[in-house]
Amino acid sequence: MSKKRQQFTSEVDPELLAALHTLARQDGRRFEDVLEVALRSYIAARGHGTPRPEVMAHFRDSLEKNRELMKLLAE
C-alpha cells in the first residue's frame, strides 16, 4: 500500500538542490524519497524538547547502574 503524497512548491539554494539530486542518484533512490528522509531527519532533530525514546532508555539504565555512586556523591 502506497502512502498518500502531496505535491508542493518551494525555493532552495541551487547548489543544495543539486547536492540532494546527486546523493539520490548515487544511492539509486528517487529524489522525493531522499528529500523525505531529510525532512524527517530535520523534524526528529528538532524534537520539540522531547528526547528520543532510545536516549531516555539509556538515561534510565545509567541512573539505575550508578544509583549507589550518586548517593555517595550526594553525601
Side-chain angles (χ1 to χ4, degrees):
M1 186 182 290
S2 179
K3 292 182 187 176
K4 183 176 178 180
R5 303 281 187 201
Q6 181 174 340
Q7 190 171 8
F8 71 99
T9 302
S10 189
E11 294 181 6
V12 68
D13 179 315
E15 291 179 4
L16 183 60
L17 187 62
L20 198 58
H21 275 286
T22 298
L23 288 173
R25 235 183 346 271
Q26 288 173 347
D27 292 348
R29 300 179 70 187
R30 295 180 335 135
F31 172 79
E32 293 81 0
D33 295 335
V34 175
L35 177 61
E36 187 170 300
V37 168
L39 290 170
R40 288 183 187 279
S41 177
Y42 178 77
I43 291 168
R46 294 286 300 173
H48 303 290
T50 305
R52 295 185 321 263
E54 63 272 19
V55 172
M56 290 307 298
H58 287 293
F59 176 69
R60 284 189 297 275
D61 290 345
S62 178
L63 285 178
E64 188 58 40
K65 178 181 174 184
N66 296 299
R67 186 173 305 281
E68 289 302 315
L69 175 60
M70 288 186 287
K71 286 180 184 177
L72 291 171
L73 290 172
E75 293 176 358

